[in-house]
Amino acid sequence: MTGPAVADGGLAGHLDGFVRAIREAGIPVGISQAVDAAEILTVVDLLDREQLRHGLAAVLLQRAAQRPTYDVLFDLWWPLSDRPRTTVESDADGDADGEPGESTLDVPGDDGIDLAARMREQLLQLLLEGNPEALRRFAREAVEMLGRGQPSPSGQSFFSYRVLRALSPDTLVAQLLTGLLAEGDRGGLAEQVARQTIRERLTALRAAIESEVRRRTAAEKGRDKVAKNAVRPLADQVDFLRAQAGDLAELRRAVAPLARRLAVRLSARRRLGREGRLDFRKTVRASLGTGGVPVVTHHRPRKVHKPELVVLCDVSGSVAGFSHFTLMLTQALREHFTGVRAFAFVDTTDEVTRFFRPGADVVDAVSRIGREADVVGFDGHSDYGTAFEVFADRWASAVGPKTSLLVLGDGRTNYRQPGLPVLADLVRRSRSAHWLNPEPQRLWGSGDSAANRYGEVIDMVECRNAAQLAEFVTTL
């Protein structure tokens, strides 16, 4: 199955490299899991690639969201065999006419029929049959014949878009529907099922082509280099400043449990058990019935501490991705604090708590803040000094001894006054204060960044992704 790829360091060394790659991609793998993975190699059929894929996934993965990353790395470390197909294998796939070692595809002959047209015909038949293994082998040979780019000094390049452009699989939908549906089935549930089947098979074809391109590129340039470029970071590793629309749903799922833990850390109730302070008078009075011995103690009713939270969010364009996350975090925190007040600012500040009613959609809240909130007072560029002053003037009572203050922004002031005295006063009056910064710490203080100066008066924490947010919550 993977002879050339495995032979260099042996099967154990190959597995070790695979586990290391998974760790580097952000998937935590402990020593016990690595040992279990080695055990898997002794109980599965190593010639059955899909059995190996699922067996290793069962012991190495903890969440379904990690599976796409795992599949990409598995295809790089355990590629399809380069050995030619035998007649027996062809028979198993329903292609008994092939000779040992021959390609399963027709090649253009003297009749001048275009290669792409011939391959489209065979692709149509394979999509109708729905054999996954046959489709993967077709993808391998399609990349070989249609995906080559111009040779370069660094080696031969292959491109998936060349293959897909030549085959145009999306144009086969009508023919596939005709082949999958019986006469008179159009328009009903049968057609819906057929369309879904077609979508799944076309998706599998594209994935197989991309996997084969990655395999060939890895053979030319090395697996490690390809893995760094081909593997998308996990949701909790995506930088907030670079988050795409497709990452937001996964980020919401990651943020919700972190918000619960953050709420617990920030509230920090006193651990006095179920009872309040000792009621000395009642205890002494009760002890008179037992000869002055306080067998039973009495306590005052415990005063339940109601945690309060004030969130100051930078929503300027330079941190658009992070501001979406911060407002998402604000919405999640609101469900765990009795009093959450949210304030947004660009070059002035406005309270935006009203946009985060229970059950409110974050995307809708972000768009409403842009339309309705008074966060731009001059030129629309970040002005932290003015924003802090406006907040302190208009909402001075918002921060008090029971309040936790959370500032969210990159600390870039556009060379304007940073408002350090105002921030220092807010920190002094609050119960606790933290600043989450989406920029790498190495950039703090560079250019117009005042992050290092802010860090002198408030606890400044690098928070570029959900993983760092989890670390912050853990260390609180």
Side-chain angles (χ1 to χ4, degrees), residues 114 116-117 119-121 123-124 127 138 142 146 160-176 202 205-206 209:
D114 182 67
M119 295 181 71
R120 275 171 55 83
E121 293 177 6
L123 174 60
L124 175 63
L127 290 172
F138 174 88
L146 301 174
S160 57
Y161 79 89
R162 287 177 176 267
V163 182
L164 294 172
R165 183 179 60 186
L167 295 177
S168 299
D170 290 330
T171 62
L172 299 175
V173 173
Q175 294 171 266
L176 290 170
L202 290 178
L205 171 68
R206 295 188 188 95
I209 291 173

Side-chain angles (χ1 to χ4, degrees), residues 25 27 41 58 83 115 138 210 214 354 381:
I27 300 175
L41 299 183
R83 62 191 171 87
L115 171 63
F138 174 88
E210 292 171 0
R214 283 194 297 268
R354 62 188 182 277
H381 294 89

Side-chain angles (χ1 to χ4, degrees), residues 39-61:
E39 185 69 20
I40 287 292
L41 299 183
T42 67
V43 297
V44 302
D45 181 2
L46 296 181
L47 296 180
D48 188 334
R49 187 165 173 268
E50 291 309 301
Q51 187 181 128
L52 178 62
R53 180 196 300 270
H54 297 312
L56 292 176
V59 298
L60 295 177
L61 304 183

Side-chain angles (χ1 to χ4, degrees), residues 66-82:
Q66 298 167 346
R67 187 59 189 255
T69 298
Y70 167 85
D71 283 335
V72 170
L73 292 173
F74 182 89
D75 289 337
L76 287 173
W77 257 257
W78 311 89
L80 281 169
S81 172
D82 290 323

Side-chain angles (χ1 to χ4, degrees), residues 141-306:
E141 300 187 26
V143 170
E144 171 68 25
M145 295 183 179
L146 301 174
R148 291 177 178 270
Q150 292 295 329
S152 65
S154 61
Q156 178 66 57
S157 298
F158 295 86
F159 302 94
S160 57
Y161 79 89
R162 287 177 176 267
V163 182
L164 294 172
R165 183 179 60 186
L167 295 177
S168 299
D170 290 330
T171 62
L172 299 175
V173 173
Q175 294 171 266
L176 290 170
L177 281 174
T178 301
L180 292 176
L181 291 174
E183 194 69 30
D185 284 342
R186 285 186 175 272
L189 179 61
E191 181 175 345
Q192 296 180 27
V193 172
R195 288 186 179 276
Q196 179 62 29
T197 300
I198 292 170
R199 282 194 294 269
E200 292 173 355
R201 292 178 183 177
L202 290 178
T203 300
L205 171 68
R206 295 188 188 95
I209 291 173
E210 292 171 0
S211 174
E212 177 61 17
V213 169
R214 283 194 297 268
R215 185 190 72 83
R216 290 176 179 270
T217 305
E220 291 282 345
K221 302 179 180 180
R223 278 191 302 255
D224 295 335
K225 184 176 181 179
V226 174
K228 291 179 180 178
N229 297 325
V231 176
R232 293 184 68 252
L234 298 173
D236 59 357
Q237 301 288 338
V238 174
D239 278 11
F240 295 131
L241 294 178
R242 297 178 176 83
Q244 304 296 320
D247 300 318
L248 295 179
E250 187 63 31
L251 276 177
R252 288 193 191 97
R253 288 191 287 270
V255 164
L258 291 176
R260 286 195 297 270
R261 292 167 57 193
L262 182 59
V264 172
R265 297 295 200 282
L266 292 177
S267 62
R269 296 181 178 181
R270 295 179 180 178
R271 302 299 181 184
L272 295 178
R274 296 183 178 180
E275 304 292 345
R277 295 182 180 276
L278 178 69
D279 190 328
F280 185 74
R281 180 173 297 178
K282 285 187 177 181
T283 300
V284 171
R285 185 180 298 119
S287 70
L288 296 178
T290 56
V293 178
V295 176
V296 178
T297 58
H298 292 266
H299 299 261
R300 300 181 186 276
R302 180 177 179 181
K303 293 183 179 179
V304 179
H305 172 60
K306 295 183 178 180

Side-chain angles (χ1 to χ4, degrees), residues 1-131:
M1 178 190 64
T2 57
V6 175
D8 294 339
L11 191 58
H14 190 76
L15 177 64
D16 180 64
F18 177 55
V19 171
R20 288 176 184 273
I22 290 178
R23 286 173 177 154
E24 291 173 1
I27 300 175
V29 178
I31 295 178
S32 62
Q33 291 170 286
V35 172
D36 290 342
E39 185 69 20
I40 287 292
L41 299 183
T42 67
V43 297
V44 302
D45 181 2
L46 296 181
L47 296 180
D48 188 334
R49 187 165 173 268
E50 291 309 301
Q51 187 181 128
L52 178 62
R53 180 196 300 270
H54 297 312
L56 292 176
V59 298
L60 295 177
L61 304 183
Q62 295 86 42
R63 305 198 315 267
Q66 298 167 346
R67 187 59 189 255
T69 298
Y70 167 85
D71 283 335
V72 170
L73 292 173
F74 182 89
D75 289 337
L76 287 173
W77 257 257
W78 311 89
L80 281 169
S81 172
D82 290 323
R83 62 191 171 87
R85 299 185 73 196
T86 64
T87 305
V88 174
E89 291 173 322
S90 297
D91 289 342
D93 288 340
D95 299 323
D97 296 333
E99 293 296 328
E102 282 190 347
S103 168
T104 58
L105 298 176
D106 294 327
V107 294
D110 297 334
D111 53 7
I113 297 179
D114 182 67
L115 171 63
R118 285 177 172 267
M119 295 181 71
R120 275 171 55 83
E121 293 177 6
Q122 187 158 1
L123 174 60
L124 175 63
Q125 186 61 36
L126 291 174
L127 290 172
L128 288 173
E129 295 171 357
N131 186 318

